[in-house]
């Protein structure tokens, strides 16, 4: 691994940083309080190429690597984790699934619209009663001539109501049977496909999380991604990349909280000294900086493996697990350093604290990451 940030990565990070400060930062609490999904922001990000980061230029994307992708998510999440979450879900889940498993005709049809954010993407795996137990999903697709009929509900779906197109993993075999799921692309406006309840969340409140409901939703076989029965295998590959997304998101939140705490600790005086001069505070800052650096290196290793098309399952799970737990710990310590002010909405760390917890749950809980890691090391 080369630990130096290359020029392209640095330039892309600067673009994302400038955009976040100029267009996102002034509205963070407004969107948080109202739970507004600021669609116009994602359209602007699309114009900058930040909604099709990994998509090759031939399909209208930026054609960049996972290193640039990591930098983009981080810089946005430093300012607002919820915007970072939506950028990550659009890029790595919906768009990533089509990029990895669609045929050429399907790529030409959907990727250009997703890469430019003309269309916002959603990805449906989780259901009300099958979170980690995805092999037992209830949402089914039944073959009917040249069509498939989808019935069921997906929940906890980013852009479940506002997304223009969704990749949906449906059960096409018996519950818990091997190779019992298949992935399909469903466009908004298809009869029988609707958005359901929008969740009222602790954090990440400007990122829309909602149900997707399918009631005798008929789609053509041309919308099937890959072979019948390969849906769950495809999902695991998509989640390998998605875990790099959440690790990067976690890093951004952690860095945002740490940088705010570092600055505050040097400005806030008690007993005629900056509170950073007291070991109780300086040692907290030392732990925060060390843990962020360790999480960063794990995430960079995952990016490196992914870019080289080498096996990444173990390292991406480690990066996601460790970085997400670090985000929670660092955000918690940042609130403590701010004291009473940290508990108010006048300072940024309370939002970092609320946003951070989702990182230990979404795209595989910390407990599931331990399952993945232990399986890999015990092979």
């Amino acid at each position: 691994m080369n630990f130096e940030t290359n020029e392209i990565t640095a330039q892309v990070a600067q673009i994302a940083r400038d955009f976040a400060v100029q267009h996102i930062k002034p509205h963070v609490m407004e969107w948080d309080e109202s739970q507004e999904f600021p669609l116009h922001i994602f359209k602007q990000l699309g114009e900058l190429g930040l909604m099709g980061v990994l998509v090759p230029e031939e399909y209208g994307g930026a054609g960049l690597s996972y290193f640039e992708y990591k930098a983009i998510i981080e810089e946005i999440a430093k300012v607002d984790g919820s915007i970072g979450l939506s950028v990550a879900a659009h890029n790595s889940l919906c768009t990533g699934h089509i990029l990895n498993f669609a045929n050429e005709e399907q790529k030409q049809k959907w990727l250009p619209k997703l890469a430019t954010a003309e269309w916002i993407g959603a990805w449906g795996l989780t259901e009300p009663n099958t979170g980690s137990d995805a092999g037992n999903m209830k949402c089914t697709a039944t073959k009917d001539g040249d069509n498939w009929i989808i019935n069921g509900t997906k929940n906890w779906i980013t852009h479940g109501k506002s997304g223009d197109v969704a990749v949906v993993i449906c059960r096409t075999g018996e519950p818990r049977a091997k190779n019992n799921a298949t992935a399909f692309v469903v466009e908004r406006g298809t009869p029988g496909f609707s958005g359901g309840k929008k969740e009222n969340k602790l954090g990440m409140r400007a990122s829309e999380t909602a149900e997707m409901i399918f009631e005798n939703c008929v789609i053509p076989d041309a919308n099937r991604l890959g072979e019948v029965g390969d849906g769950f295998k495809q999902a695991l590959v998509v989640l390998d990349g998605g875990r790099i997304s959440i690790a990067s998101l976690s890093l951004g939140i952690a860095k945002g909280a740490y940088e705010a705490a570092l600055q505050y600790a040097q400005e806030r005086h008690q007993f005629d000294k900056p509170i950073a001069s007291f070991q109780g505070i300086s040692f907290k800052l030392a732990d925060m900086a060390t843990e962020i650096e360790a999480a960063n290196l794990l995430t960079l290793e995952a990016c490196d493996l992914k870019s080289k098309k080498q096996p990444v399952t173990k390292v991406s799970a480690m990066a996601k697990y460790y970085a997400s737990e670090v985000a929670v710990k660092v955000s918690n310590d940042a609130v403590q350093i701010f004291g009473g002010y940290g508990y108010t909405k006048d300072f940024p760390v309370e939002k970092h604290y609320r946003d951070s917890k989702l990182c230990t749950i979404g795209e595989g809980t910390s407990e599931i990451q331990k399952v993945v890691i232990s399986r890999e090391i015990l092979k």
Side-chain angles (χ1 to χ4, degrees), residues 25-83:
K25 191 173 183 178
H27 307 287
V28 167
M29 293 312 298
E30 170 195 339
W31 296 335
D32 183 76
E33 295 284 351
S34 67
Q35 301 194 61
E36 177 186 349
F37 177 60
L39 185 59
H40 67 284
I41 287 293
F42 299 98
K43 301 294 187 182
Q44 290 174 279
L45 287 165
E47 291 171 7
L48 292 173
L50 305 187
M51 296 294 277
V53 182
L54 302 167
V55 177
E57 291 180 35
E58 65 192 278
Y59 302 115
L64 297 170
S65 77
Y66 265 85
F67 292 103
E68 287 79 53
Y69 179 54
K70 169 185 176 290
I72 289 163
I73 300 299
E74 258 184 63
E75 292 298 338
I76 293 172
K78 272 189 194 179
V79 173
D80 190 344
S82 57
I83 305 300

Side-chain angles (χ1 to χ4, degrees), residues 26-247:
H27 307 287
V28 167
M29 293 312 298
E30 170 195 339
W31 296 335
D32 183 76
E33 295 284 351
S34 67
Q35 301 194 61
E36 177 186 349
F37 177 60
L39 185 59
H40 67 284
I41 287 293
F42 299 98
K43 301 294 187 182
Q44 290 174 279
L45 287 165
E47 291 171 7
L48 292 173
L50 305 187
M51 296 294 277
V53 182
L54 302 167
V55 177
E57 291 180 35
E58 65 192 278
Y59 302 115
L64 297 170
S65 77
Y66 265 85
F67 292 103
E68 287 79 53
Y69 179 54
K70 169 185 176 290
I72 289 163
I73 300 299
E74 258 184 63
E75 292 298 338
I76 293 172
K78 272 189 194 179
V79 173
D80 190 344
S82 57
I83 305 300
L85 173 63
S86 276
V87 172
H90 174 92
N91 271 284
S92 72
L93 297 181
C94 179
T95 307
H97 199 134
I98 293 170
L99 181 62
N100 278 285
F101 297 106
N103 60 38
E104 186 59 30
E105 185 180 346
Q106 292 169 330
K107 288 179 181 179
Q108 294 285 357
K109 182 177 181 180
W110 291 306
L111 286 180
K113 291 181 178 180
L114 287 164
T116 57
E118 179 184 343
W119 280 9
I120 300 297
W123 192 73
L125 176 65
T126 307
E127 298 181 5
N129 295 307
T130 57
S132 301
D133 184 16
N136 192 32
M137 64 179 72
K138 303 293 189 291
C139 185
T140 61
T142 307
K143 192 79 188 296
D144 182 26
D146 292 331
N147 297 319
W148 292 85
I149 303 172
I150 302 177
N151 280 287
T153 302
K154 297 291 183 178
N155 75 335
W156 311 114
I157 307 304
T158 306
H159 316 143
K161 289 186 82 164
S162 296
D164 300 285
V165 63
V167 174
V168 186
I169 296 92
C170 304
R171 183 164 57 79
T172 49
E174 293 301 312
R176 293 205 175 91
K178 192 174 182 182
N179 302 326
N180 72 342
T182 306
F184 301 91
V185 176
V186 187
E187 296 181 10
R188 184 69 61 190
T190 303
F193 174 32
S194 61
K197 176 191 173 188
K198 179 180 175 182
E199 303 296 342
N200 183 10
K201 299 176 296 182
L202 169 72
M204 303 290 197
R205 288 162 64 85
S207 176
E208 179 189 275
T209 304
E211 290 178 320
M212 295 194 302
I213 300 169
F214 301 91
E215 298 175 296
N216 293 321
C217 178
V218 180
I219 59 166
D221 188 56
N223 285 32
R224 172 173 48 84
L225 295 176
E227 298 300 318
V228 173
D230 282 353
F232 193 59
K233 290 183 203 169
Q234 294 174 5
L236 292 178
V237 173
V238 171
L239 286 170
D240 276 348
R243 285 166 185 153
I244 296 173
S245 299
I246 302 300

